[in-house]
Amino acid sequence: MRSVQNIQKITKAMKMVAASKMRVAQAATLESRGLVRPLVRLLGDTPDADVERNLTVAVTTDKGLCGGINSAVAKYSRATVKAVATGEGKIAEYVVVGEKGRSQLVRDSRDSIVATVADVGKVRVTFPQAAAVADILLKTEFDAARLVFNRFVSAISFKPTIATVLSPAALERRAEAGGSLDSYEVEGPDRAEMLQDLAEFTLAATLYNALLENGCSENAARMSAMENSTKNATEILGQLTLTYNRSRQASITTELIEIISGAAALEG
């Protein structure tokens, strides 16, 4: 009973901490969406981009006790790699952000993981931090990077989402082939340098939004999981208390019967 009471106190405290973090993360997440939406309108989102080198970035958590959000990201990441790897000469690789995702994907995709990034979600996510992770991604050779993460909808709802970002070279080829950029007048002599800067900034901004979305979803999932754990601990504690009281009552009844029987024997 004492052990269950201690667990109940811990889960209740973790629920309150997760709720407080979720409120702060939700505000930052909503602001980051305003950074990504203009880039999506400008460049478009091309999840079906037919390129040679495909990189799937699984954005997961570094801590557990947050439900099945990491399992969902791992499932969608495997499905994405399987979908883009069809065809001759296609290369599909992983970059895993978060310890929990690495432990799941390494079971069947060890040879396809080219880089892992840990301890990102243990501190407050900032844009320079996301830009540092984006630099790691740019060091790997890819034509299209697909970021798989949990998009925050509400405290009880978060959806696995895929955001596609083209590499600077692929973006330039797409612009030359006639993309949405042709609708805009671009000033400056060096168009290639502008497209490269735009592609790198888009990758960093999209990754920043993905980290915030997934972090907010993590806190919401942990809050829900700890609430359920607290309820379960309350039910178990009630059952243990009932069993304890019944056993104690039976012991007292047995002792009374023995005392009465002994007194009756002495009187006889």
Side-chain angles (χ1 to χ4, degrees), residues 5 11 38 50 62 65 69 79-80 86 141 179 223 234 244-245:
Q5 285 177 343
T11 55
D50 187 10
D62 290 295
L65 300 177
I69 62 174
T80 301
T86 57
E141 295 182 4
M223 182 181 67
T234 303
Y244 171 76
N245 290 336

Side-chain angles (χ1 to χ4, degrees), residues 186-261:
V186 180
E187 295 182 359
D190 198 342
R191 178 184 174 89
E193 183 179 355
M194 184 275 296
L195 290 175
Q196 181 174 356
D197 293 341
L198 184 60
E200 293 177 356
F201 178 75
T202 301
L203 178 61
T206 306
L207 183 60
Y208 175 59
N209 173 251
L211 291 173
L212 287 175
E213 295 274 4
N214 201 75
C216 190
S217 300
E218 175 191 359
N219 288 315
R222 182 172 291 113
M223 182 181 67
S224 179
M226 292 302 101
E227 183 179 4
N228 294 332
S229 299
T230 304
K231 291 180 180 179
N232 293 336
T234 303
E235 294 177 0
I236 294 174
L237 184 60
Q239 295 173 0
L240 291 175
T241 303
L242 182 61
T243 303
Y244 171 76
N245 290 336
R246 285 178 177 175
S247 301
R248 181 170 175 270
Q249 185 177 4
S251 177
I252 293 173
T253 302
T254 302
E255 292 177 0
L256 288 175
I257 291 174
E258 293 176 353
I259 293 172
I260 294 171
S261 300

Side-chain angles (χ1 to χ4, degrees), residues 33-50:
R33 291 177 183 175
L35 181 65
V36 176
R37 285 170 183 165
L39 296 173
V40 174
R41 290 197 299 266
L42 176 63
L43 303 177
D45 191 5
T46 55
D48 57 344
D50 187 10

